[in-house]
Amino acid sequence: MTEPHALIAVEMGIDTHQEPVVFLRADCEVCRAEGFNANTRLQLSLGERAIIATLNVVTEAVLPPGRVGFSRIAWQRLGLKGGEAVTLSHAPVLHSMSAVRKKIYGHALSAREIDDIIQDISAHRYSDMQIASFVTACVDRLDTGEIIALTRAMVASGKCLSWPDKPQVLDKHCIGGVPGNRTTPIVVAIASAAGLTMPKTSSRAITSPSGTADTMEVLTNVHLGLDQIQATVAQVNACLAWGGAVNLSPADDMLIRIEHALDVDGEGQMVASVLSKKLAAGSTHVLIDIPVGPTAKVRSQPQARHLAHLFDTVGKALGLRLRCLTTRGEEAIGYGIGPAQEALDILAVLNNAPQAPADLRERALFLTGHLLNMASGEELAAAIARARELLASGKAWVQFQRICAAQGGLKAIPQAAFRLELGAGHSGTLLAMDNRRLARLAKLAGAPISPAAGLRLHAKLGQALARGQPLFTLYADSQGELDYAADYYADNQDLFMIGETP
């Protein structure tokens, strides 16, 4: 005999991503007894384990009587094997939602209120809709105190790395907005070849065609546990891992997932996201790259100064030594956009190949020089020169191979099944490109979900072009995605501005 309001668990084989969903028949007696309706939040329990899920109601033909269906993520989180009697009840009231509503109406939140929200999100008590409410209520509406509190709460939500034998732990982060700006693997290789400790944990793409973790996953294993990260760093002084695999600031990963779906990236959440990951990784020194350009995420120098001040203030409050740099963001960096295409650029730079993109190489050397300067206090010019020598001598490439070997080995870069070369509509000089629409073009081709998808540029700003001369090549894993991206470009050819040199 099962307990009252207990039903036999059935796996439905439905992928609801990270949102747990359960399914009940429309004529289910439990629904009638408890007043459950579609979208009701339920608590499902099995012994000491429990999850909260959203209810979907199905017809009698879909589910046998006396059964409750589970989506894949709900099944996984409750740890079911099949045939168990699962108890259903109303989900407990989330008191932290009153703080979310308070923020929706524009009021500042206390550190305790923010902590309660993040704790509930980390415990998977919020639905995606509730997380989205919090995310949108906070977009560019967090004061400095709230950002500091949010950062601390996100660090406390997960595990932390510590390096008691390392007095300095270096890290860097680019706030994004410029396609192809994949300097991190190059910087980590050079800096760790110079003896710096860089346990680099990176995010996947939020609104871009590729994040560092997406690109590195093309080259090696990035799913490292805490023990593996520590072992890799002990062996080669660095790692290039996906932060989401090690539960560092897990609440941030949930917020990022919703931000990705909404295509929003508020500055307060961004600062908290970046610095919570750095603190959780045990970093002591952090370099922040802020690209500035008319179609970058940061479009003006005053905006960049404001963001740098925010990073400085929050970083200082949390005990980090932090330096912000503004860099040029008028055009894509390198030639490749998308995981595989960006990986090709990284390897070209590390191998000192003749076709390596000079802008990616020089930016990586500039950032590495600043890290060396932060760590040792040597003159910046000397630090950049040291970084250049480590790259030119091949020591950085050897070090990159050692990092990949420690993480599971260097992999072959995948190739897209379909490609299409597109040329300039008329002759002239390439005067500008729209970073946002260029990123969208690569995403429409399938990046980063399809690692081989994206595009490769054949021209840079200031280059003279003849009519029909190749501008870029699209890469996709399906003909439909290739056609979709090509159609988008046909309607947006002004994303490349070609004209007479002013």
Side-chain angles (χ1 to χ4, degrees):
M1 294 289 293
T2 61
E3 296 291 330
H5 304 321
L7 299 173
I8 302 301
V10 175
E11 185 177 8
M12 300 290 286
I14 298 174
D15 184 357
T16 57
H17 198 42
Q18 294 297 309
E19 171 102 33
V21 175
V22 293
F23 305 85
L24 291 175
R25 291 163 55 111
D27 65 349
C28 176
E29 60 183 20
V30 176
C31 283
R32 291 197 300 268
E34 293 292 336
F36 296 157
N37 298 302
N39 285 332
T40 297
R41 296 285 284 168
L42 303 183
Q43 179 166 291
L44 299 104
S45 305
L46 180 64
E48 297 298 317
R49 302 194 300 273
I51 64 167
I52 294 174
T54 300
L55 173 63
N56 280 2
V57 177
V58 299
T59 63
E60 291 81 351
V62 175
L63 199 63
R67 302 294 192 271
V68 53
F70 281 73
S71 69
R72 288 178 179 175
I73 189 65
W75 185 270
Q76 175 187 328
R77 286 196 184 152
L78 196 53
L80 298 172
K81 297 181 180 178
E84 297 95 335
V86 177
T87 302
L88 287 71
S89 60
H90 284 278
V93 175
L94 288 176
H95 297 290
S96 66
M97 275 302 298
S98 63
V100 174
R101 287 188 289 273
K102 177 180 174 182
K103 192 63 189 173
I104 288 171
Y105 285 103
H107 303 292
L109 300 179
S110 68
R112 176 60 185 271
E113 288 170 325
I114 290 173
D115 194 54
D116 288 344
I117 291 169
I118 295 302
Q119 283 185 26
D120 281 339
I121 291 174
S122 301
H124 303 289
R125 299 188 186 109
Y126 273 36
S127 68
D128 282 1
M129 186 182 298
Q130 289 167 322
I131 298 174
S133 297
F134 176 64
V135 167
T136 53
C138 293
V139 173
D140 295 336
R141 297 169 72 193
L142 295 173
D143 63 30
T144 304
E146 289 174 301
I147 298 170
I148 293 169
L150 180 60
T151 307
R152 285 181 170 141
M154 291 199 296
V155 173
S157 74
K159 298 175 182 177
C160 292
L161 288 163
S162 63
W163 311 95
D165 60 334
K166 305 285 187 182
Q168 291 182 338
V169 178
L170 282 293
D171 208 337
K172 61 83 62 178
H173 180 84
C174 176
I175 68 160
V178 177
N181 192 16
R182 203 56 54 219
T183 57
T184 293
I186 303 168
V187 170
V188 170
I190 301 172
S192 58
L196 301 187
T197 300
M198 287 197 71
K200 188 76 184 78
T201 61
S202 300
S203 298
R204 297 193 181 279
I206 300 176
T207 57
S208 71
S210 185
T212 297
D214 300 305
T215 299
M216 279 306 304
E217 192 168 38
V218 167
L219 294 167
T220 192
N221 171 42
V222 296
H223 290 254
L224 305 183
L226 289 176
D227 291 344
Q228 291 172 298
I229 286 178
Q230 290 173 320
T232 300
V233 174
Q235 182 180 345
V236 296
N237 231 33
C239 70
L240 284 155
W242 173 44
V246 288
N247 214 32
L248 298 177
S249 189
D252 181 49
D253 294 325
M254 297 178 204
L255 296 178
I256 284 174
R257 179 170 58 84
I258 298 301
E259 289 168 356
H260 194 172
L262 296 174
D263 199 16
V264 299
D265 197 8
E267 67 175 22
Q269 291 115 309
M270 178 177 61
V271 171
S273 172
V274 171
L275 297 187
S276 69
K277 290 289 177 63
K278 305 312 173 193
L279 288 163
S283 302
T284 59
H285 297 61
V286 178
L287 183 68
I288 305 292
D289 176 14
I290 306 177
V292 181
T295 59
K297 187 178 294 183
V298 177
R299 299 192 177 191
S300 67
Q301 288 296 333
Q303 186 184 358
R305 287 192 292 271
H306 166 72
L307 189 58
H309 175 72
L310 200 54
F311 268 113
D312 288 336
T313 303
V314 176
K316 186 177 296 183
L318 297 169
L320 287 172
R321 290 190 61 184
L322 189 142
R323 180 182 297 179
C324 292
L325 302 175
T326 56
T327 54
R328 295 183 62 181
E330 294 90 351
E331 64 177 324
I333 304 300
Y335 302 121
I337 302 174
Q341 293 302 316
E342 293 173 20
L344 289 170
D345 282 352
I346 290 166
L347 296 187
V349 170
L350 288 170
N351 279 289
N352 296 291
Q355 76 275 15
D359 56 350
L360 179 64
R361 180 185 64 243
E362 293 306 313
R363 184 175 294 232
L365 290 171
F366 175 71
L367 296 173
T368 308
H370 273 275
L371 281 173
L372 294 172
N373 169 260
M374 289 175 71
S376 68
E378 65 186 297
E379 291 294 326
L380 180 59
I384 294 174
R386 183 152 67 104
R388 191 178 300 278
E389 189 279 328
L390 287 165
L391 179 63
S393 67
K395 292 178 182 177
W397 168 233
V398 170
Q399 174 65 2
F400 185 79
Q401 292 178 89
R402 293 180 68 217
I403 294 169
C404 290
Q407 293 186 194
L410 195 60
K411 300 191 294 188
I413 298 175
Q415 295 186 357
F418 300 88
R419 66 180 63 190
L420 176 65
E421 187 175 87
L422 294 164
H426 57 86
S427 62
T429 300
L430 183 57
L431 301 178
M433 63 178 69
D434 189 319
N435 286 320
R436 291 173 183 264
R437 286 190 287 170
L438 200 57
R440 179 164 175 76
L441 182 62
K443 289 193 289 183
L444 290 173
I449 296 171
S450 296
L455 60 89
R456 176 154 290 269
L457 296 169
H458 302 309
K460 288 289 193 177
L461 296 192
Q463 184 173 330
L465 297 167
R467 178 183 171 84
Q469 183 175 336
L471 265 179
F472 66 96
T473 299
L474 280 172
Y475 297 88
D477 277 334
S478 74
Q479 186 66 54
E481 287 173 313
L482 190 75
D483 292 343
Y484 194 24
D487 288 345
Y488 176 81
Y489 175 64
D491 294 334
N492 290 270
Q493 292 192 29
D494 61 334
L495 70 84
F496 293 102
M497 183 183 295
I498 302 173
E500 294 301 322
T501 305

